[in-house]
Amino acid sequence: MTQTTSAHHEDGAAPPAARFDAVVRAAVGQGLLGEGGPVAGFIDTEGVLASVGTLHDAFAATPGVLHTFAAKACSLIPVLRLLAGCGMGCEVASSGELRLALEAGFAASRVVLDSPAKTREELRLALALGVAVNADSLDELRRIDTLRDPATDSVLGLRVNPQVGGGAIGPMSTATDTSKFGVALRDPGTREAIVGAFRERPWLTRLHAHVGSQGCPLELIAAGVARTYELAGEINATLGVRQVTSLDIGGGLPVNFADETVHPAYADYVAALTAAAPGLFSGRYSLVTEFGRSLLAKNGFIGARVEYTKDAGGRRIALTHAGAQTATRTVLMPDAWPLRIGAFGPDGTPKGGPVLAQDVAGPCCFAGDVVAYGRELPELAEDDVVVLYDTGAYYFSTPWAYNSLPRPAVYGFRAAAGRDGRDRTVTFATVRDAQSMDAIAAESGLAHADALIERAG
Ligand SMILES: Cc1ncc(COP(=O)(O)O)c(C=O)c1O
């Protein structure tokens, strides 16, 4: 589906805070948001391409970098295909994500499989396809020993946990002393065990670390990469051969959710890496990155209809269709994942007027299903639209099936400036249809509806 509409901007270019105003208005005008579509996700196609360009530019001086996209951040085939088309690879963490990556068109040689709990079947498939695999433990390496055909094209690596500490959000910090990920590098005897594991396996040529995601400062991530870089040097020196030839440095660049500005930038990260591990970019090792949130978050938003408003105990509450099913992290951990919210009228134009502290709640049947508490916004009313900004990664693309709420539709859009720079033409393309009631029934056991009924005789 492709739909086009025009929107008007008084000042020519949209100011940063109004980056998506024309898109919201067009979405309402075309019926993508409203009675027929109470909640939907939107992806700025050109914005994604621009973010990929910034990533490539930041690492441009370094030969042999494979930038993979962490599929979990936006597990939608059209998005993955867009990324495959602009030179990205793909990091996957399950059979499902592997399937999506292959359907999207990534060559197996540009796919990397992580995950702390790979089954034998997943490993067999990855090795047969030639997908790179980062083993998460020494036990997994022993499993690979039994499954690996010497002729496999898969690059094989080992994930380490450099144990450099956590960031501001505990559950996003993967390099704490007790993290479940990787081989805990600073635990007694581990370094020697890792060197031994490489000695026994000449085919093991990569080290992997992903220090953490949102909430981890650049310096912490860079310190973890530096420890991994040093380990690679130690392995190669001890073995007397250049066995480790590549480093997968993970993703994790944090995103600024407080306002429209993009920071830190990839260039800041490259600077932090250069300071922490000056030899990292020398070309001695080819590099793999696995960014997710930093490529997509600011290039997407959720739009949702306000169904009702009410007052309770002196508090105004707007009941919308954007709740835990699509903003799961924010609802379950509101302090860690605050989102900027925009208020729009029933025609999709930004609301003005005096602001009022309001709770913006969702449709789910538990009291905590609130995406913002006491937020100062123009007074919301039935039929208005709220926008949850910076939700292009890990939000609408990975919904939660609670209350059998349908997975929301997702649309990509392109917004081109008109001839005089004032009119902006917005073109939408369906990325994912809203989940149908038939699909909900099917995934809820419809085919086995009688399974628990005792049959007579
Ligand atoms: C192994 C691995 N790589 C990359 C990522 C992507 O991280 P981010 O989206 O913060 O860039 C994750 C996120 O969980 C991860 O676990």
Side-chain angles (χ1 to χ4, degrees), residues 68-73 91 93 114-115 159 172 174 181 208-210 212-214 248 250-254 289-295 329 393-394:
T68 68
F69 174 67
K72 71 205 82 170
E91 186 263 351
D114 296 327
S115 150
R159 177 168 180 171
M172 307 308 289
T174 47
F181 292 105
H208 173 223
H210 171 74
S213 289
Q214 190 66 20
D248 179 338
L253 191 78
T289 72
E290 305 173 341
F291 295 106
R293 182 174 290 102
S294 51
L295 285 168
R329 287 165 196 247
Y394 300 102

Side-chain angles (χ1 to χ4, degrees), residues 77-100:
I77 290 171
V79 173
L80 298 180
R81 187 166 288 185
L82 178 75
L83 293 167
C86 54
M88 299 283 299
C90 194
E91 186 263 351
V92 299
S94 70
S95 304
E97 288 180 359
L98 175 56
R99 170 72 185 267
L100 301 188

